């Protein structure tokens, strides 16, 4: 049977060429050559119609078999070639694992984080510990325990973002001080850095979200002199020089007496400039002696213990240190700004 012989000789040629092929593209060429639409097998099959009817099935079967054999040989050779290629790479190419990798861009700590950590260190060196509390706070810890009952007008001093059911975004970290007094017995020395929120329209010096460091010290015989000494020490460390301070009376319901502590203007050194509006002073810290009501509400006997508390805006302090004139830059995410620190 002529056709079968023809097919056999095609198979022999194919197997030899496949065996001799040296690359994946040439192997692909052979696939087209032997199994494609214009292959010799196709040409042979076209002659099938001329065969006697009873011979056609066996010729058809033979051609399918040959195609399968060629496919199998192609597949096997492909595997072999791929393996050879990888083996070649493994012996000719080396990865130098000591070569330094590509460096990604490095971030740095936000200037507010930097100063916050610095201030924590300063207070820790004075024997304070660091405390944290929730940003979503109850009315009790943010106001009531601080001697600000529900209808007290002092609530208007700090515009508040309320959530639901007497819950709010804390307006100061004084709330953490109350939580500390509840759980610790005097002597207490604690600072609470953290994020606080006010219902404020933003402008160059106001943000709805900003950072504070508040502190509390309770012991026997604590006076305003202790307060001033601790504030002076902290400011000297932050500004790396002695800072002139003054106290003015200030009203905060949770302290009595209460003060605003001003520092000599860092820009003009007290001579008067546009930053301090000609006064030579900048307002920085709210402070005072803890109100007896606050102590007794938290279970501390005001006849035995006294203490001082203070609170300051971290954003404001960073602005003073670096001469930054717009508080909104801190949350802008502007890398041109942030990369400078
Ligand atoms: N909690 C006050 C504020 O956020 C600051 C303060 C703290 C004042 C402690 C006095 C004593 O404005």
């Amino acid at each position: 049977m002529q056709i079968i012989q023809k097919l056999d000789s095609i198979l022999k040629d194919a197997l030899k060429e496949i065996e001799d092929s040296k690359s994946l593209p040439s192997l692909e060429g052979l696939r087209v050559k032997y199994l494609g639409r214009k292959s010799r097998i196709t040409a042979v099959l076209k002659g099938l119609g001329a065969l006697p009817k009873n011979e056609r099935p066996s010729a058809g079967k033979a051609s399918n078999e040959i195609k399968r054999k060629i496919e199998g040989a192609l597949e096997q050779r492909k595997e072999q070639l791929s393996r050879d290629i990888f083996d070649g790479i493994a012996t000719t190419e080396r990865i130098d694992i000591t070569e330094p990798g590509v460096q990604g861009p490095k971030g740095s700590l936000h200037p507010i984080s930097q100063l916050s950590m610095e201030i924590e260190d300063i207070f820790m060196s004075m024997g304070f510990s660091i405390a944290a509390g929730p940003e979503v706070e109850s009315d009790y810890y943010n106001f009531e325990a601080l001697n600000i009952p529900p209808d007290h007008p002092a609530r208007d001093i700090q515009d508040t973002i309320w959530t639901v059911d007497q819950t709010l975004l804390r307006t100061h970290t004084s709330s953490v001080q109350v939580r500390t007094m509840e759980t610790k017995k005097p002597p207490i020395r604690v600072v609470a850095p953290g994020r606080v929120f006010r219902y404020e329209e933003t402008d160059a010096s106001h943000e709805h979200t900003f950072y504070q460091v508040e502190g509390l010290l309770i012991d026997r015989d604590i006076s305003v002199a202790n307060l001033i000494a601790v504030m002076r020490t902290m400011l000297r460390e932050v500004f790396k020089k002695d800072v002139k301070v003054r106290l003015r009376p200030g009203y905060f319901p949770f302290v009595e007496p209460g003060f605003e502590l001003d520092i000599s203007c860092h820009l003009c050194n007290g001579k008067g400039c546009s930053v301090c509006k000609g006064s030579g002073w900048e307002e920085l810290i709210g402070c005072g002696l803890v109100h007896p009501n606050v102590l007794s509400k938290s279970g501390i006997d005001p006849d035995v213990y006294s203490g001082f508390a203070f609170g300051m805006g971290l954003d404001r302090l960073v602005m003073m240190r670096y001469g930054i004139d717009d508080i909104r830059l801190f949350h802008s995410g502007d890398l041109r700004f942030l990369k400078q620190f």
Side-chain angles (χ1 to χ4, degrees), residues 92-202:
T92 56
E93 294 185 15
R94 286 262 177 277
I95 294 172
D96 180 359
I97 57 166
T98 63
E99 178 116 345
V102 180
Q103 283 280 336
K106 247 196 209 148
S108 58
L109 286 174
H110 194 280
I112 292 181
S113 305
Q114 288 180 28
L115 186 60
S116 178
M117 290 158 83
E118 244 179 75
I119 291 179
E120 285 172 31
D121 282 345
I122 295 168
F123 278 106
M124 282 196 283
S125 76
M126 291 192 274
F128 285 73
S129 53
I130 315 297
E135 293 177 346
V136 179
E137 189 53 282
S138 69
D139 180 288
Y140 180 79
Y141 287 111
N142 197 82
F143 288 128
E144 243 189 286
L146 289 160
N147 204 27
I148 315 175
D151 44 15
H152 197 285
R155 289 195 172 212
D156 293 341
I157 301 175
Q158 300 179 348
D159 292 317
T160 306
I161 299 170
W162 293 92
T163 58
V164 286
D165 300 333
Q166 302 299 294
T167 308
L168 48 84
L169 299 187
R170 69 180 179 194
T171 58
H172 49 192
T173 59
S174 303
S175 50
V176 181
Q177 305 179 22
V178 177
R179 288 175 177 275
T180 306
M181 283 189 285
E182 277 186 356
T183 53
K184 289 214 168 85
K185 291 201 162 11
I188 293 173
R189 292 179 190 203
V190 69
V191 285
R195 188 158 63 156
V196 300
F197 310 86
R198 306 257 172 111
Y199 189 66
E200 297 258 18
E201 194 107 38
T202 48

Side-chain angles (χ1 to χ4, degrees), residues 205-206 265 268 271-282 316:
S205 48
H206 295 90
C265 175
C268 62
K271 289 188 197 75
C273 66
S274 64
V275 167
C276 59
K277 299 191 185 72
S279 72
W281 294 96
E282 283 181 292
R316 159 91 58 108

Side-chain angles (χ1 to χ4, degrees), residues 17-79:
E17 278 200 74
I18 290 170
E19 189 59 40
D20 290 347
S21 78
K22 293 272 177 291
S23 73
L24 295 176
S26 74
L27 206 57
E28 187 52 33
L30 291 177
R31 177 188 299 283
V32 175
K33 179 171 172 188
Y34 284 100
L35 300 176
R37 270 191 300 122
K38 293 178 184 159
S39 68
R40 279 162 65 199
I41 296 182
T42 312
V44 169
L45 291 179
K46 274 191 186 137
L48 221 57
L51 283 183
K53 251 196 173 146
N54 60 345
E55 286 182 17
R56 281 180 209 165
S58 57
K61 219 170 122 197
S63 76
N64 281 338
E65 195 123 310
I66 283 171
K67 277 192 193 166
R68 237 192 335 270
K69 280 185 180 156
I70 294 178
E71 261 161 20
L74 282 167
E75 209 43 50
Q76 234 179 352
R77 183 71 187 139
K78 188 175 166 189
E79 259 174 47

